[in-house]
Amino acid sequence: MNDTPSYSPQAPDRAEVDALPGLTLLQFGTDWCGHCQAAAPAVAQALQAAPATLAAMRHLPVEDGPGRPLGRSFRVKLWPTLILLRDGQEIARLVRPTEAAAVAQWLAAASSAA
């Protein structure tokens, strides 16, 4: 599936994430997760259609699982989990998205609300 992000096993530590300026989208999951593979096209489509105000947003697909401290620090329980940060602070979370429109609406509302 070419829409599936390659989840990076080299995750930044929590202090690095907390220090990131601007908007950052953390996407927790794994490359082998069926839910992650099913959500990937919706997330990709929503990001491609995102308004210009989100153009500078960082997107970090992070491999999660037992012993992965970043996911544990955000209390991630299900994959994929999308966490939107502004200046290192969580402003919104979306778990197991399935539709691009829902992801796009969530991104727009979350990024303008906080």
Side-chain angles (χ1 to χ4, degrees):
M1 211 173 219
N2 60 359
D3 286 299
T4 304
S6 179
Y7 288 95
S8 174
Q10 302 300 320
D13 65 29
R14 181 63 190 255
E16 290 174 288
V17 170
D18 289 346
L20 291 171
L23 289 174
T24 301
L25 177 62
L26 295 175
Q27 182 174 348
F28 290 97
T30 66
D31 289 332
W32 53 262
C33 167
H35 293 288
C36 300
Q37 293 170 358
V43 174
Q45 185 178 353
L47 290 174
Q48 287 175 349
T53 56
L54 297 177
M57 177 178 63
R58 251 175 242 90
H59 178 214
L60 302 176
V62 178
E63 186 176 281
D64 192 35
R68 303 284 182 164
L70 187 60
R72 302 300 64 77
S73 74
F74 281 101
R75 297 184 184 138
V76 172
K77 302 284 186 200
L78 297 171
W79 301 326
T81 293
L82 306 177
I83 298 176
L84 187 62
L85 308 172
R86 174 173 279 129
D87 298 326
Q89 300 297 310
E90 182 174 342
I91 59 172
R93 179 180 296 234
L94 184 62
V95 178
R96 290 195 175 163
T98 57
E99 298 176 1
V103 176
Q105 183 179 18
W106 171 78
L107 277 172
S111 65
S112 65

